[in-house]
Amino acid sequence: MGHSHNTIAFHQDKCDGCGECMTVCAGAKSGTADTLHSRLKIVPSIAANDSFELALCRQCGDPKCVLNCPSGSLTKNHKTGVVPWDAEKCVDCLLCTVGCAYGGITYNAAAGHVMKCDMCDGDPACVKSCPTGALEYNRSAEIYNNYGELEDLFVPGLAACQGCNSELLIRHTMRKIGSNAVVATPPGCIAGMGTVGFNGKTGSKIPVFHPLLTNTASMLAGAKRYYNRIGRDVTMVALAGDGGTVDAGFQSLSGAAERGEQMLYICVDNEGYMNTGMQRSGSTSFGSWTSTTPVGETLHGKTQDAKNMPVIMMMHNCEYVATASLAFMDDYYEKLDKALAAAKRGMAYLHVYSPCPTGWRIPSESTNEVCRKAVETNFVTLWEFAPDEGLRFTHSTDDPLPVEEYLNLSGKYRHLDDAQLTHIENSVERKVAFLNGFMLATSDDGAESLAQ
Amino acid sequence: MEQTKYLIAGCSHAALSALNSIRMLDQDGSLTLVTKDDHLPYSPTVLPYIVSGQSKPEKVKLRDDEFFAQNKVNFISGAGLSTLDVDNNSVTLQNGQEWQYEKLLLATGAAPAIPPIPGLTDTPYHVLRTMDDAVNLHAALESAKSAVVLGGGLIGMHAAENLIKVGVQVTIVEMRPQVLPGYFDAEAAKIIEQTFIENGVAMRIGNTVVGAAPDGEGAKVSLDSGDEITADLLLVCTGVAPVISYLEDGPVETDQGILVNDCMATNIANIWAAGDVAQAVNFYSGEKSVGGILPAAVEQGRIAGMSMINDPAINPYPGGVPLNTYGFFGNQAISVGVSDENALPKDTEVLLNVNEEEMTYQKILIGEGCLLGISGINTDFDPGIMWQLVLQRVDLEPVKEEFLSNPTDTGRDLMSRTWR
């Protein structure tokens, strides 16, 4: 299996050209503040005022500098992903610089040899120094490498639709949790795609059962109490849809949370009853087309806002509540870690926004892009809450993209008129403002900013 | 007869680059690499550094047995191609082995072209193309106090510098009116020549050698000027010619080198050619010419490999562009594309910046808004970015002022935008 590599990402829209990264790089690599020695170069953009571009080694998968090197001093380390440069073997011929179209390996006249980024052994100094977050060390690759090695606890060939975000989610999640678990998949896509099995065969390699739409949390609570009584520490996991959580399953979940039952409850929110023919649910967003909120002469999609389920769960004495999106996999894994720890003490609730290519009418290859745009427009906010730590955003809500950039990706919003769009824009703003208020009131960070 | 899916003849940059492309899509297809050399793969470019002792033969290998094992490459050294039978898709090697291939890449490189100088064949002389040449020349330096280098091209200049650095008195004889023609114009060449003179190299530019003869252990050469130069060592670096002798009288079309199309395919099915042996299209003229530069070999090898494996991501060869990075006595000379505007239309814009005291030189040539060439000594620009600006005919009109005053940052800006 191929190996993935962490990368340094450049968010051009956040770069203000301060140059701190270059100073820090020169210091870390050459012991001087002279940016001449920096391995990365920020250059002003001629196309747009106050905009900047970056020249930095991209640690190419198939690096031309390496193929151009006549002395064997450049190689590709397929384990770390870095293209290291060996000064010992280099003959200073500069042919590597001919091979690089990015200005990633350059001649340093002061030092008399070429220089390039080596990713600081996986802890890049430039990223840590960037005050605006324009440079980001993306560790997603580590996740794929680490968890890719673990056993997939579902059978191959689950009958999910092409591009299904939920299948990606459950395979990642159960690899991470491992086999010492009992999984409940109430009616919905996750059960429907075959995780509970078909023709007398199971669809997973761990105990999995199929509760009613209404009693997932109570059944897990009972199973957990039994295991506790016989002295076995087994993790209870619900992989439920929004219908089984927000609507029909709400009463049993609310009760279990209030009693502090120990489980990890994951709501995979695809904003409707997608498995049974795309009916609306309490989690369907305003304006959405569904088969029960059709678009015609009088009706133009759903006329109510979605229930804000994770906020409701925050008020339920849970040990941990968080929202997640698989476009931000590293964020999801961090939250999964915390949720698993919390599930030993009581209720841990994860709400994962999960676009549905079939029901939302999005091309199957765009699922992840829809996930990402939802967060970047603030339509979905990523945050976590724990009783003693309060609420904390894990993805900044500052400077969001226009919400249309998210809505335009899905066919279910194609009919929206201006009034509906304004309604959605307002409700996105209101939801963010509400969470901000909550953050300020509950967290240490918030208390500090209130004091100022 | 042995069978292999891919047969690659040669094992330097073009061959290794093709190997890389093939293994991207076919990890298991049998692949055989044959070379006339007795060494693990190395680059001819590195040889001057072996001569000077700055590097060692064992340090400069480009691939090793572990790489070949990991990549399932059957590496046969010491056995170049002897004959080719295109009807049977088979070759005979110099060691007598017969191999049948499904796809064959000819990356057999070039060998020194020895000029027809009267007496030269009877005179002991060195060339510098193989590792053995370099090791021999390095050994010869122990007793040599003086050397004559014929040819002021890249190899000759490199070799001369490395010789003088180890204390050998060197004379360079170049028949043409300047050193490094094709990469630098006369003015830039002058700066380079001057540096060599300051460092003690005797330069005989514009002189033709009319005769050579043995002189004790060494050699004596006579110039058209009437002068005679004697030296312990004679090094002939007057250019190279593609190694195509094994194709003689065969159906593979050749001219100076093996003629290839824009996917590096020859006129015969299942046979490709790349690198110094290939005669591929030139970016500017559209004519086919032999190149002999390393980055072109890498590029041609990559395309040949992709074509051999039917890689759908293949882009045709855009054509050869002169490229050169040349370090001399601590200075850096770089050229990308055309360096001499005399070969270009009259309306070509020329921006020249020379500072003799600082020993900097920069020339930028722009035609129809696009970069045609940039060359410089001790000036700053990224040659890889410039090469792409040339190849992609990026419109520089909107940024021309900035580009001319700061090609480095402007180039980085353009490429960062293009590649984001």
Side-chain angles (χ1 to χ4, degrees), chain A residues 395-428:
Chain A
H395 184 93
S396 170
T397 53
D398 299 341
D399 307 320
L401 298 174
V403 74
E404 278 176 277
E405 290 197 21
Y406 166 68
L407 301 174
N408 288 345
L409 297 173
S410 299
K412 71 169 179 167
Y413 296 119
R414 191 171 299 137
H415 58 278
L416 290 185
D417 58 30
D418 288 349
Q420 286 175 303
L421 181 61
T422 310
H423 178 103
I424 292 171
E425 284 167 349
N426 290 342
S427 78
V428 164

mmCIF file of all heavy atoms in Angstrom, chain A residues 395-428:
data_model
loop_
_atom_site.group_PDB
_atom_site.id
_atom_site.type_symbol
_atom_site.label_atom_id
_atom_site.label_comp_id
_atom_site.label_asym_id
_atom_site.label_seq_id
_atom_site.Cartn_x
_atom_site.Cartn_y
_atom_site.Cartn_z
ATOM 1 N N HIS A 395 -12.221 25.161 14.237
ATOM 2 C CA HIS A 395 -11.929 25.765 12.930
ATOM 3 C C HIS A 395 -12.477 27.184 13.007
ATOM 4 O O HIS A 395 -13.632 27.381 13.359
ATOM 5 C CB HIS A 395 -12.609 24.982 11.796
ATOM 6 C CG HIS A 395 -12.257 25.499 10.432
ATOM 7 N ND1 HIS A 395 -11.216 24.993 9.693
ATOM 8 C CD2 HIS A 395 -12.793 26.499 9.687
ATOM 9 C CE1 HIS A 395 -11.127 25.650 8.553
ATOM 10 N NE2 HIS A 395 -12.074 26.562 8.520
ATOM 11 N N SER A 396 -11.627 28.149 12.686
ATOM 12 C CA SER A 396 -12.013 29.543 12.867
ATOM 13 C C SER A 396 -13.279 29.889 12.071
ATOM 14 O O SER A 396 -13.444 29.454 10.932
ATOM 15 C CB SER A 396 -10.865 30.450 12.423
ATOM 16 O OG SER A 396 -11.319 31.784 12.378
ATOM 17 N N THR A 397 -14.140 30.668 12.695
ATOM 18 C CA THR A 397 -15.346 31.130 11.990
ATOM 19 C C THR A 397 -15.141 32.532 11.415
ATOM 20 O O THR A 397 -16.066 33.111 10.849
ATOM 21 C CB THR A 397 -16.562 31.151 12.943
ATOM 22 O OG1 THR A 397 -16.216 31.918 14.099
ATOM 23 C CG2 THR A 397 -16.968 29.753 13.361
ATOM 24 N N ASP A 398 -13.915 33.053 11.567
ATOM 25 C CA ASP A 398 -13.627 34.386 11.016
ATOM 26 C C ASP A 398 -13.501 34.301 9.498
ATOM 27 O O ASP A 398 -13.052 33.287 8.961
ATOM 28 C CB ASP A 398 -12.313 34.930 11.593
ATOM 29 C CG ASP A 398 -12.383 35.082 13.107
ATOM 30 O OD1 ASP A 398 -13.521 35.123 13.626
ATOM 31 O OD2 ASP A 398 -11.325 35.118 13.752
ATOM 32 N N ASP A 399 -13.842 35.372 8.834
ATOM 33 C CA ASP A 399 -13.684 35.488 7.375
ATOM 34 C C ASP A 399 -14.231 34.295 6.584
ATOM 35 O O ASP A 399 -13.504 33.646 5.829
ATOM 36 C CB ASP A 399 -12.194 35.668 7.005
ATOM 37 C CG ASP A 399 -11.568 36.805 7.756
ATOM 38 O OD1 ASP A 399 -12.241 37.834 7.919
ATOM 39 O OD2 ASP A 399 -10.414 36.652 8.199
ATOM 40 N N PRO A 400 -15.497 33.963 6.766
ATOM 41 C CA PRO A 400 -16.034 32.829 6.003
ATOM 42 C C PRO A 400 -16.212 33.186 4.528
ATOM 43 O O PRO A 400 -16.318 34.361 4.166
ATOM 44 C CB PRO A 400 -17.401 32.598 6.643
ATOM 45 C CG PRO A 400 -17.788 33.938 7.173
ATOM 46 C CD PRO A 400 -16.514 34.616 7.590
ATOM 47 N N LEU A 401 -16.269 32.167 3.682
ATOM 48 C CA LEU A 401 -16.620 32.373 2.281
ATOM 49 C C LEU A 401 -18.122 32.657 2.210
ATOM 50 O O LEU A 401 -18.868 32.279 3.117
ATOM 51 C CB LEU A 401 -16.316 31.109 1.471
ATOM 52 C CG LEU A 401 -14.861 30.643 1.398
ATOM 53 C CD1 LEU A 401 -14.780 29.292 0.686
ATOM 54 C CD2 LEU A 401 -14.023 31.678 0.650
ATOM 55 N N PRO A 402 -18.590 33.278 1.128
ATOM 56 C CA PRO A 402 -20.035 33.477 0.974
ATOM 57 C C PRO A 402 -20.750 32.119 0.970
ATOM 58 O O PRO A 402 -20.271 31.177 0.345
ATOM 59 C CB PRO A 402 -20.166 34.151 -0.388
ATOM 60 C CG PRO A 402 -18.813 34.649 -0.729
ATOM 61 C CD PRO A 402 -17.826 33.825 0.020
ATOM 62 N N VAL A 403 -21.880 32.039 1.657
ATOM 63 C CA VAL A 403 -22.550 30.757 1.833
ATOM 64 C C VAL A 403 -23.018 30.171 0.497
ATOM 65 O O VAL A 403 -23.170 28.965 0.344
ATOM 66 C CB VAL A 403 -23.709 30.893 2.851
ATOM 67 C CG1 VAL A 403 -24.894 31.616 2.243
ATOM 68 C CG2 VAL A 403 -24.112 29.534 3.394
ATOM 69 N N GLU A 404 -23.203 31.046 -0.497
ATOM 70 C CA GLU A 404 -23.582 30.560 -1.830
ATOM 71 C C GLU A 404 -22.570 29.569 -2.397
ATOM 72 O O GLU A 404 -22.915 28.673 -3.152
ATOM 73 C CB GLU A 404 -23.680 31.733 -2.806
ATOM 74 C CG GLU A 404 -24.995 32.466 -2.726
ATOM 75 C CD GLU A 404 -24.990 33.673 -3.646
ATOM 76 O OE1 GLU A 404 -24.457 34.710 -3.208
ATOM 77 O OE2 GLU A 404 -25.495 33.567 -4.773
ATOM 78 N N GLU A 405 -21.286 29.762 -2.035
ATOM 79 C CA GLU A 405 -20.257 28.851 -2.553
ATOM 80 C C GLU A 405 -20.491 27.424 -2.082
ATOM 81 O O GLU A 405 -20.073 26.477 -2.729
ATOM 82 C CB GLU A 405 -18.851 29.331 -2.145
ATOM 83 C CG GLU A 405 -18.442 30.584 -2.860
ATOM 84 C CD GLU A 405 -16.945 30.832 -2.795
ATOM 85 O OE1 GLU A 405 -16.177 29.884 -2.564
ATOM 86 O OE2 GLU A 405 -16.567 32.007 -2.968
ATOM 87 N N TYR A 406 -21.145 27.294 -0.939
ATOM 88 C CA TYR A 406 -21.533 25.962 -0.465
ATOM 89 C C TYR A 406 -22.842 25.512 -1.109
ATOM 90 O O TYR A 406 -22.950 24.406 -1.644
ATOM 91 C CB TYR A 406 -21.656 25.987 1.053
ATOM 92 C CG TYR A 406 -22.370 24.788 1.639
ATOM 93 C CD1 TYR A 406 -21.787 23.521 1.579
ATOM 94 C CD2 TYR A 406 -23.625 24.912 2.235
ATOM 95 C CE1 TYR A 406 -22.435 22.416 2.110
ATOM 96 C CE2 TYR A 406 -24.278 23.811 2.773
ATOM 97 C CZ TYR A 406 -23.690 22.566 2.702
ATOM 98 O OH TYR A 406 -24.322 21.472 3.210
ATOM 99 N N LEU A 407 -23.829 26.398 -1.095
ATOM 100 C CA LEU A 407 -25.163 26.027 -1.595
ATOM 101 C C LEU A 407 -25.122 25.644 -3.074
ATOM 102 O O LEU A 407 -25.820 24.722 -3.510
ATOM 103 C CB LEU A 407 -26.134 27.188 -1.382
ATOM 104 C CG LEU A 407 -26.311 27.641 0.077
ATOM 105 C CD1 LEU A 407 -27.178 28.897 0.135
ATOM 106 C CD2 LEU A 407 -26.912 26.534 0.939
ATOM 107 N N ASN A 408 -24.272 26.336 -3.830
ATOM 108 C CA ASN A 408 -24.225 26.085 -5.278
ATOM 109 C C ASN A 408 -23.729 24.695 -5.643
ATOM 110 O O ASN A 408 -23.865 24.273 -6.782
ATOM 111 C CB ASN A 408 -23.313 27.121 -5.955
ATOM 112 C CG ASN A 408 -23.975 28.492 -5.987
ATOM 113 O OD1 ASN A 408 -25.184 28.600 -5.775
ATOM 114 N ND2 ASN A 408 -23.189 29.521 -6.226
ATOM 115 N N LEU A 409 -23.137 24.013 -4.693
ATOM 116 C CA LEU A 409 -22.575 22.687 -4.997
ATOM 117 C C LEU A 409 -23.633 21.590 -5.006
ATOM 118 O O LEU A 409 -23.403 20.510 -5.524
ATOM 119 C CB LEU A 409 -21.483 22.330 -3.978
ATOM 120 C CG LEU A 409 -20.241 23.225 -3.956
ATOM 121 C CD1 LEU A 409 -19.342 22.853 -2.784
ATOM 122 C CD2 LEU A 409 -19.475 23.103 -5.265
ATOM 123 N N SER A 410 -24.801 21.842 -4.402
ATOM 124 C CA SER A 410 -25.802 20.786 -4.249
ATOM 125 C C SER A 410 -27.061 21.083 -5.054
ATOM 126 O O SER A 410 -27.588 22.198 -5.007
ATOM 127 C CB SER A 410 -26.219 20.649 -2.780
ATOM 128 O OG SER A 410 -25.112 20.316 -1.995
ATOM 129 N N GLY A 411 -27.548 20.081 -5.747
ATOM 130 C CA GLY A 411 -28.776 20.227 -6.514
ATOM 131 C C GLY A 411 -29.974 20.530 -5.636
ATOM 132 O O GLY A 411 -30.950 21.136 -6.086
ATOM 133 N N LYS A 412 -29.912 20.143 -4.364
ATOM 134 C CA LYS A 412 -31.098 20.339 -3.519
ATOM 135 C C LYS A 412 -31.366 21.808 -3.203
ATOM 136 O O LYS A 412 -32.419 22.150 -2.680
ATOM 137 C CB LYS A 412 -30.987 19.515 -2.233
ATOM 138 C CG LYS A 412 -29.972 19.974 -1.205
ATOM 139 C CD LYS A 412 -30.213 19.188 0.093
ATOM 140 C CE LYS A 412 -29.223 19.564 1.185
ATOM 141 N NZ LYS A 412 -29.620 19.049 2.485
ATOM 142 N N TYR A 413 -30.381 22.658 -3.510
ATOM 143 C CA TYR A 413 -30.592 24.102 -3.292
ATOM 144 C C TYR A 413 -30.742 24.866 -4.608
ATOM 145 O O TYR A 413 -30.751 26.086 -4.611
ATOM 146 C CB TYR A 413 -29.403 24.700 -2.534
ATOM 147 C CG TYR A 413 -29.198 24.169 -1.139
ATOM 148 C CD1 TYR A 413 -28.039 23.506 -0.785
ATOM 149 C CD2 TYR A 413 -30.171 24.373 -0.155
ATOM 150 C CE1 TYR A 413 -27.844 23.031 0.503
ATOM 151 C CE2 TYR A 413 -29.988 23.894 1.139
ATOM 152 C CZ TYR A 413 -28.817 23.218 1.453
ATOM 153 O OH TYR A 413 -28.628 22.762 2.728
ATOM 154 N N ARG A 414 -30.830 24.151 -5.720
ATOM 155 C CA ARG A 414 -30.733 24.825 -7.017
ATOM 156 C C ARG A 414 -31.834 25.860 -7.220
ATOM 157 O O ARG A 414 -31.646 26.871 -7.892
ATOM 158 C CB ARG A 414 -30.763 23.790 -8.153
ATOM 159 C CG ARG A 414 -30.401 24.362 -9.504
ATOM 160 C CD ARG A 414 -30.242 23.272 -10.546
ATOM 161 N NE ARG A 414 -29.177 22.348 -10.200
ATOM 162 C CZ ARG A 414 -29.268 21.020 -10.322
ATOM 163 N NH1 ARG A 414 -30.374 20.472 -10.778
ATOM 164 N NH2 ARG A 414 -28.264 20.250 -9.991
ATOM 165 N N HIS A 415 -33.000 25.636 -6.609
ATOM 166 C CA HIS A 415 -34.168 26.489 -6.849
ATOM 167 C C HIS A 415 -34.206 27.722 -5.959
ATOM 168 O O HIS A 415 -35.130 28.533 -6.073
ATOM 169 C CB HIS A 415 -35.424 25.661 -6.548
ATOM 170 C CG HIS A 415 -35.385 25.153 -5.135
ATOM 171 N ND1 HIS A 415 -34.674 24.021 -4.786
ATOM 172 C CD2 HIS A 415 -35.892 25.647 -3.988
ATOM 173 C CE1 HIS A 415 -34.774 23.831 -3.475
ATOM 174 N NE2 HIS A 415 -35.499 24.810 -2.964
ATOM 175 N N LEU A 416 -33.260 27.877 -5.039
ATOM 176 C CA LEU A 416 -33.383 28.932 -4.026
ATOM 177 C C LEU A 416 -33.587 30.310 -4.644
ATOM 178 O O LEU A 416 -32.896 30.680 -5.601
ATOM 179 C CB LEU A 416 -32.120 28.978 -3.155
ATOM 180 C CG LEU A 416 -31.881 27.810 -2.204
ATOM 181 C CD1 LEU A 416 -30.647 28.097 -1.337
ATOM 182 C CD2 LEU A 416 -33.093 27.513 -1.335
ATOM 183 N N ASP A 417 -34.534 31.077 -4.079
ATOM 184 C CA ASP A 417 -34.674 32.462 -4.537
ATOM 185 C C ASP A 417 -33.939 33.381 -3.557
ATOM 186 O O ASP A 417 -33.389 32.935 -2.552
ATOM 187 C CB ASP A 417 -36.153 32.840 -4.695
ATOM 188 C CG ASP A 417 -36.920 32.677 -3.393
ATOM 189 O OD1 ASP A 417 -36.305 32.839 -2.315
ATOM 190 O OD2 ASP A 417 -38.133 32.363 -3.446
ATOM 191 N N ASP A 418 -33.950 34.673 -3.879
ATOM 192 C CA ASP A 418 -33.176 35.623 -3.079
ATOM 193 C C ASP A 418 -33.618 35.650 -1.626
ATOM 194 O O ASP A 418 -32.801 35.738 -0.709
ATOM 195 C CB ASP A 418 -33.281 37.036 -3.676
ATOM 196 C CG ASP A 418 -32.486 37.136 -4.970
ATOM 197 O OD1 ASP A 418 -31.718 36.172 -5.234
ATOM 198 O OD2 ASP A 418 -32.643 38.120 -5.692
ATOM 199 N N ALA A 419 -34.927 35.559 -1.434
ATOM 200 C CA ALA A 419 -35.440 35.632 -0.056
ATOM 201 C C ALA A 419 -34.955 34.426 0.740
ATOM 202 O O ALA A 419 -34.558 34.548 1.912
ATOM 203 C CB ALA A 419 -36.966 35.680 -0.076
ATOM 204 N N GLN A 420 -34.998 33.267 0.099
ATOM 205 C CA GLN A 420 -34.528 32.069 0.801
ATOM 206 C C GLN A 420 -33.034 32.163 1.109
ATOM 207 O O GLN A 420 -32.583 31.786 2.187
ATOM 208 C CB GLN A 420 -34.812 30.820 -0.050
ATOM 209 C CG GLN A 420 -36.283 30.430 -0.061
ATOM 210 C CD GLN A 420 -36.521 29.266 -1.010
ATOM 211 O OE1 GLN A 420 -36.194 29.363 -2.191
ATOM 212 N NE2 GLN A 420 -37.089 28.193 -0.494
ATOM 213 N N LEU A 421 -32.290 32.692 0.134
ATOM 214 C CA LEU A 421 -30.849 32.838 0.337
ATOM 215 C C LEU A 421 -30.575 33.770 1.516
ATOM 216 O O LEU A 421 -29.750 33.473 2.386
ATOM 217 C CB LEU A 421 -30.215 33.378 -0.945
ATOM 218 C CG LEU A 421 -28.704 33.553 -0.898
ATOM 219 C CD1 LEU A 421 -28.014 32.209 -0.652
ATOM 220 C CD2 LEU A 421 -28.197 34.170 -2.185
ATOM 221 N N THR A 422 -31.306 34.882 1.548
ATOM 222 C CA THR A 422 -31.123 35.819 2.654
ATOM 223 C C THR A 422 -31.458 35.148 3.981
ATOM 224 O O THR A 422 -30.748 35.322 4.973
ATOM 225 C CB THR A 422 -32.051 37.038 2.458
ATOM 226 O OG1 THR A 422 -31.853 37.510 1.131
ATOM 227 C CG2 THR A 422 -31.755 38.120 3.458
ATOM 228 N N HIS A 423 -32.532 34.357 3.982
ATOM 229 C CA HIS A 423 -32.909 33.641 5.191
ATOM 230 C C HIS A 423 -31.752 32.753 5.670
ATOM 231 O O HIS A 423 -31.409 32.736 6.859
ATOM 232 C CB HIS A 423 -34.158 32.790 4.926
ATOM 233 C CG HIS A 423 -34.591 31.981 6.111
ATOM 234 N ND1 HIS A 423 -35.666 32.333 6.902
ATOM 235 C CD2 HIS A 423 -34.081 30.851 6.660
ATOM 236 C CE1 HIS A 423 -35.792 31.448 7.888
ATOM 237 N NE2 HIS A 423 -34.835 30.531 7.747
ATOM 238 N N ILE A 424 -31.149 32.021 4.708
ATOM 239 C CA ILE A 424 -30.065 31.105 5.083
ATOM 240 C C ILE A 424 -28.854 31.888 5.589
ATOM 241 O O ILE A 424 -28.259 31.555 6.607
ATOM 242 C CB ILE A 424 -29.685 30.213 3.881
ATOM 243 C CG1 ILE A 424 -30.830 29.245 3.567
ATOM 244 C CG2 ILE A 424 -28.407 29.419 4.172
ATOM 245 C CD1 ILE A 424 -30.665 28.451 2.279
ATOM 246 N N GLU A 425 -28.528 32.971 4.870
ATOM 247 C CA GLU A 425 -27.381 33.790 5.303
ATOM 248 C C GLU A 425 -27.587 34.282 6.727
ATOM 249 O O GLU A 425 -26.688 34.208 7.565
ATOM 250 C CB GLU A 425 -27.195 34.993 4.368
ATOM 251 C CG GLU A 425 -26.576 34.609 3.040
ATOM 252 C CD GLU A 425 -26.671 35.717 1.988
ATOM 253 O OE1 GLU A 425 -27.399 36.721 2.224
ATOM 254 O OE2 GLU A 425 -26.040 35.553 0.941
ATOM 255 N N ASN A 426 -28.811 34.740 7.005
ATOM 256 C CA ASN A 426 -29.093 35.261 8.350
ATOM 257 C C ASN A 426 -28.999 34.159 9.398
ATOM 258 O O ASN A 426 -28.456 34.360 10.480
ATOM 259 C CB ASN A 426 -30.488 35.886 8.397
ATOM 260 C CG ASN A 426 -30.516 37.179 7.599
ATOM 261 O OD1 ASN A 426 -29.457 37.755 7.316
ATOM 262 N ND2 ASN A 426 -31.712 37.606 7.211
ATOM 263 N N SER A 427 -29.506 32.980 9.036
ATOM 264 C CA SER A 427 -29.506 31.940 10.061
ATOM 265 C C SER A 427 -28.088 31.412 10.299
ATOM 266 O O SER A 427 -27.744 31.051 11.421
ATOM 267 C CB SER A 427 -30.500 30.823 9.731
ATOM 268 O OG SER A 427 -29.963 29.972 8.761
ATOM 269 N N VAL A 428 -27.259 31.419 9.250
ATOM 270 C CA VAL A 428 -25.856 31.028 9.455
ATOM 271 C C VAL A 428 -25.200 32.016 10.410
ATOM 272 O O VAL A 428 -24.530 31.642 11.372
ATOM 273 C CB VAL A 428 -25.107 30.970 8.104
ATOM 274 C CG1 VAL A 428 -23.599 30.964 8.308
ATOM 275 C CG2 VAL A 428 -25.526 29.738 7.314
#
